[in-house]
């Protein structure tokens, strides 16, 4: 098994990946809060971790991939639960909202051809376990109850463990406000940086449960601490999420886990970076935003046309997961051309045959294949791996056009090229060839125009032009048939 190196957010350096149990990997990724349709920035994060999951499988690991669904406890600035608010707006039950947007999320993940996680737990399915963890933290002296809510004592924790702020790089003196979960209850805290792990529910709050402290609901940060360790153990290999979650969400996860069982939850923390558009942060308020559906259809002022899901995915993978990615129409056009070139090269590759075992080209081709996988072993570096793949694409096209003698490649090397390059594209990157659908759409549009022109010729009794169109199409194996319901066409 090849060595894999990962940029660890916890140590702030690139480290050789060594799983806790040889041959096995436990990976937890913070999933969506299902109160609205998934946006492109989230898609980028989940596509990135899907590629990591796929590559770990390619390397031969058995992977348990856990990605949660947040369906309670993720609050707005005013303390209102996001799911509950949407339920009120849409006049539905909270669990109807959860099911509706979970379905929508899964559909979009299928559109981008991502693998399903091994386990997809929901926060509301683990209320008992969350209450138990709150009690563990309290028993260990790192949390206190006040007026029915329970707060994590960050000052005591940091004084004794010297670790709060280690993941995010923040220092305790800078933690003057907390994350959107309990801003209205600041007066109840011992220190402004303390955060709620159980919240007493107001009478009008819809989603609430009995607990030893109050009728309430769990803190957002607590959910992931519970679900990750329930399915992966107190200590597991990889924890991932968007860079925006590093603080306070992931920082508080670490504190909760250490506070409950005195152990850091994950050995390696990975964070994806944000998706920009036209050089700026996406924002609905100033109109600088686009949904996946708008990007597919082209129905947005930010793009000149629609792009297929695989062209969008290919665009995302041309930037390293830890780098910001700027979505522009020009960038999408260039990415679409590159994606189509890659798909056509894979089609060409199937037809290449060699009759020699000369092997003059073997070292060059095999080195590029090794380099391509090597880049993936260097912190899942998809842009560099794709660059190596395109060097192979150039070689494939040169062989097709006879600029390079295909017989300079041995049968064994050609077999490896035919195996590894498609594996990289389809199994590791998770791309699919959706060119056929796109090409059919183009052909349908062209044929509609040709049939219209032929009908105009027939109306004007220009039989020579009408016959020329029919015969010309027939030479290209396209048959047109006139009937009472109009003219149809088919490819023979």
């Amino acid at each position: 098994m090849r060595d894999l190196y990962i940029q660890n957010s916890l140590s702030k350096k690139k480290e050789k990946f060594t799983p806790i149990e040889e041959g096995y990997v436990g990976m937890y990724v913070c999933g969506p809060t299902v109160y609205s349709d998934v946006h492109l920035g989230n898609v980028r994060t989940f596509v990135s971790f899907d590629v990591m999951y796929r590559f770990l499988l390619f390397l031969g690991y058995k992977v348990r991939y856990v990605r949660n669904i947040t369906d309670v406890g993720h609050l707005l600035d005013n303390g209102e639960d996001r799911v509950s608010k949407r339920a009120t707006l849409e006049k539905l039950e909270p669990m109807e909202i959860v099911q509706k947007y979970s379905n929508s999320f899964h559909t979009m993940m299928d559109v981008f051809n991502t693998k399903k996680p091994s386990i997809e737990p929901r926060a509301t399915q683990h209320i008992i376990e969350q209450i138990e963890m709150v009690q563990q933290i309290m028993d260990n002296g790192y949390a206190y109850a006040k007026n029915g809510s329970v707060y994590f004592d960050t000052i005591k924790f940091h004084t004794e463990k010297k670790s709060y702020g280690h993941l995010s790089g923040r220092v305790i003196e800078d933690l003057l406000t907390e994350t959107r979960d309990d801003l209205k209850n600041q007066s109840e805290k011992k220190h402004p940086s303390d955060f709620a792990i159980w919240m007493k529910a107001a009478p009008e709050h819809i989603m609430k449960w009995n607990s030893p402290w109050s009728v309430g609901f769990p803190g957002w940060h607590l959910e992931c601490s519970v679900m990750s360790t329930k399915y992966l153990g107190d200590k597991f290999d990889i924890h991932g999420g968007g860079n925006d979650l590093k603080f306070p969400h992931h920082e508080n996860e670490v504190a909760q886990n250490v506070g409950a069982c005195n152990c850091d939850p994950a050995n390696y923390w990975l964070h994806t970076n944000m998706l920009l558009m036209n050089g700026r942060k996406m924002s609905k308020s100033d109109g600088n935003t686009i949904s996946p559906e708008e990007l597919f259809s082209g129905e947005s002022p930010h793009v000149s046309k629609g792009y297929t899901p695989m062209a969008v995915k290919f665009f995302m993978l041309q930037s390293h997961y830890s780098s910001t990615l700027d979505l522009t129409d020009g960038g999408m056009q260039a990415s679409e051309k590159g994606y189509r070139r890659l798909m056509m090269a894979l089609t060409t590759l199937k037809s290449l045959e060699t009759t020699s075992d000369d092997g003059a080209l073997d070292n060059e081709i095999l080195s590029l294949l090794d380099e391509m996988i090597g880049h993936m072993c260097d912190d899942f570096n998809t842009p560099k791996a794709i660059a190596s793949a395109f060097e192979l694409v150039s070689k494939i096209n040169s062989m097709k056009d006879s600029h390079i003698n295909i017989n300079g490649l041995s049968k064994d090397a050609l077999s490896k090229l035919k195996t590894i390059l498609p594996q990289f594209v389809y199994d590791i990157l998770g791309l699919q060839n959706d060119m056929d659908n796109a090409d059919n759409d183009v052909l349908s549009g062209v044929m509609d125009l040709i049939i219209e022109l032929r009908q105009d010729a027939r109306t004007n009794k220009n039989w020579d032009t009408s016959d020329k169109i029919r015969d010309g199409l027939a030479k290209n194996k396209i048959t047109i048939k006139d009937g009472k319901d109009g003219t149809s066409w088919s490819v023979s």
Side-chain angles (χ1 to χ4, degrees), residues 193-264:
S193 64
D194 294 351
F195 56 93
I197 53 180
W198 184 267
M199 284 170 272
K200 181 180 179 180
E204 68 273 11
H205 201 93
I206 301 173
M207 303 175 76
K208 50 194 174 185
W209 293 263
N210 291 323
S211 81
W213 313 284
S214 65
V215 175
F217 53 95
W220 173 41
H221 314 306
L222 186 74
E223 299 169 3
C224 287
S225 284
V226 166
M227 289 184 282
S228 61
T229 54
K230 178 178 175 65
Y231 297 106
L232 297 174
D234 289 343
K235 190 82 169 176
F236 54 94
D237 296 301
I238 297 172
H239 193 311
N243 201 48
D244 58 320
L245 298 180
K246 189 182 292 184
F247 181 86
H249 185 54
H250 288 164
E251 191 71 72
N252 289 349
E253 273 192 68
V254 174
Q256 289 164 164
N257 284 78
V258 175
C261 67
N262 197 33
C263 56
D264 289 303

Side-chain angles (χ1 to χ4, degrees), residues 443 447 450-451 454 469-482 486-492:
L443 180 59
M447 284 305 301
I450 290 174
I451 289 172
R454 179 172 176 269
I469 291 173
R470 181 197 63 204
D471 295 341
L473 291 172
K475 287 180 181 178
N476 289 282
K477 298 184 178 181
I478 297 177
T479 303
I480 57 175
K481 183 177 181 180
D482 298 311
T487 302
S488 61
W489 62 275
S490 61
V491 179
S492 57

Side-chain angles (χ1 to χ4, degrees), residues 180 244 274-284 286-289 326:
R180 303 185 179 182
D244 58 320
M274 69 168 51
L275 179 68
L276 306 174
M277 188 165 72
N278 300 317
R280 295 183 292 126
K281 185 177 179 180
M282 285 197 186
S283 170
K284 287 185 179 180
D286 62 9
N288 191 53
T289 186
D326 189 14

Side-chain angles (χ1 to χ4, degrees), residues 419-481:
T419 299
I420 298 174
L421 184 59
Q423 272 187 323
F424 170 69
V425 173
Y426 299 131
D427 297 342
I428 297 175
L429 299 186
L431 292 172
Q432 294 175 314
N433 190 344
D434 63 7
M435 282 176 50
D436 291 340
N437 293 333
D439 290 345
N440 284 339
D441 290 343
V442 172
L443 180 59
S444 295
V446 171
M447 284 305 301
D448 288 345
L449 177 60
I450 290 174
I451 289 172
E452 184 180 344
L453 292 173
R454 179 172 176 269
Q455 185 58 45
D456 289 344
R458 289 163 63 86
T459 300
N460 295 326
K461 298 184 178 181
N462 188 345
W463 309 117
D464 288 343
T465 298
S466 174
D467 291 344
K468 185 176 181 180
I469 291 173
R470 181 197 63 204
D471 295 341
L473 291 172
K475 287 180 181 178
N476 289 282
K477 298 184 178 181
I478 297 177
T479 303
I480 57 175
K481 183 177 181 180

Side-chain angles (χ1 to χ4, degrees), residues 118-148:
S118 312
I119 305 172
E120 192 174 52
R122 290 183 178 183
T124 53
Q125 295 170 340
H126 299 80
I127 298 298
I128 292 174
E129 293 95 329
Q130 291 175 78
I131 291 173
E132 289 173 347
M133 183 172 276
V134 171
Q135 190 62 59
Q136 282 181 310
I137 296 171
M138 293 184 75
D139 289 346
N140 290 334
Y142 296 115
Y144 56 92
K146 188 70 177 290
N147 297 330

Side-chain angles (χ1 to χ4, degrees), residues 122 172 299 332:
R122 290 183 178 183
I172 197 74
E299 296 177 358
M332 277 304 311

